[in-house]
Amino acid sequence: MMGLAKRIIPCLDVKNGETVKGTNFVNLRSAGDPVELGKAYSLAGADELVFLDITASFEGRKTFTDMVKRVAQEINIPFTVGGGINELADVERLLHAGADKVSINSAALRRPELINEITSHFGSQVCVVAIDARLDPQSEWYCYVKGGRERTERGLFEWAKEVAERGAGEILFTSMNHDGTKNGFANEALARLSEELPIPIIASGGAGTMEHFRDVFVKGKADAALAASVFHFGEIAIPELKQYLQREGISVRI
């Protein structure tokens, strides 16, 4: 089995202190306490976790620093925190609370220099840039901000290239067309990102079956796959998923 191990990353969208999950960024339903869920995923063999305060950018709130502290006390795998990070002081507070990485999205599109600032202060490994994009009827991918509420004029591929050039450590790409649909990941776009960029790509949006994870690594060439509802509601168990991927010849940490 060749290459670096592929990572499996549960994502916990947090709203008002509880984990929620929706379809195409709307219709949210509760999935439990984020700290308890994080702990369970850590024990089940998740490689990393992502916690997103999904209304922070929109409402201008700061991410739940106290939740980050609780998570850091309970789990022993790397975790990324995103939502409402607009300046270095936000990054510092979250890293101080115990996060390993921060994810920025709307703020990076508004002020791309933020990527350079984070990487020069804290190292590129700390900076994950999340890109929410939607494929329009003319077959162009456009980036969205404010939790998928607002379209920008930035194209996915040119923005991703700039993100990498500014020193980000990873890109977390969510296809809004695929998010919550459980019909598979956006493998064509992912493969293009992986081929064109020198940094790891985390795939998000569309996980429904174990085969989708296999395909995102083989066809989509992703370095990591992120999912939420299939894990939160017990449809796919991480230990079984990793055993399946190993049988399919994909390198994973068991």
Side-chain angles (χ1 to χ4, degrees), residues 13-196:
D13 291 341
V14 180
K15 184 180 184 182
N16 305 327
E18 58 174 17
T19 313
V20 294
K21 187 58 203 146
T23 305
N24 301 115
F25 285 64
V26 290
N27 302 325
L28 301 173
R29 57 179 176 152
S30 175
D33 175 52
V35 182
E36 288 304 310
L37 261 176
K39 193 175 171 182
Y41 287 140
S42 177
L43 293 168
D47 296 296
E48 296 182 23
L49 295 170
V50 172
F51 292 87
L52 297 177
D53 188 349
I54 58 166
T55 48
S57 299
F58 183 58
E59 295 167 9
R61 272 188 299 105
K62 300 299 184 188
T63 310
F64 294 131
T65 312
D66 54 343
M67 188 207 78
V68 173
K69 285 181 181 151
R70 283 169 55 218
V71 170
Q73 286 161 0
E74 295 286 347
I75 71 169
N76 56 5
I77 56 173
F79 70 99
T80 301
V81 181
I85 297 168
N86 296 300
E87 55 189 9
L88 284 180
D90 298 329
V91 180
E92 195 153 12
R93 187 180 71 247
L94 292 164
L95 294 177
H96 185 70
D100 298 277
K101 310 178 198 179
V102 295
S103 168
I104 55 174
N105 187 340
S106 303
L109 276 157
R110 256 199 317 278
R111 199 171 67 81
E113 302 77 38
L114 182 60
I115 302 168
N116 306 69
E117 290 166 13
I118 294 171
T119 56
S120 58
H121 275 80
F122 303 107
S124 61
Q125 77 285 348
V126 161
C127 184
V128 178
V129 175
I131 303 178
D132 297 332
R134 187 189 286 281
L135 186 62
D136 74 8
Q138 283 75 47
S139 295
E140 296 290 333
W141 285 94
Y142 283 99
C143 300
Y144 280 68
V145 291
K146 297 185 180 168
R149 291 176 180 85
E150 201 173 284
R151 181 182 140 159
T152 71
E153 287 311 303
R154 295 301 304 258
L156 166 62
F157 299 102
E158 50 110 1
W159 171 235
K161 194 164 180 256
E162 180 177 335
V163 164
E165 284 166 357
R166 287 181 178 274
E170 294 182 284
I171 286 172
L172 166 54
F173 164 54
T174 300
S175 163
M176 294 173 61
N177 307 71
H178 295 72
D179 181 64
T181 61
K182 298 189 184 172
N183 292 327
F185 292 90
N187 291 324
E188 273 183 44
L190 284 158
R192 185 173 159 192
L193 287 169
S194 296
E195 283 160 6
E196 291 182 4

Side-chain angles (χ1 to χ4, degrees), residues 215-237:
D215 291 347
V216 81
F217 294 134
V218 176
K219 296 177 186 169
K221 301 185 175 148
D223 298 276
L226 177 141
S229 54
V230 289
F231 296 141
H232 301 339
F233 300 112
E235 293 157 43
I236 294 178

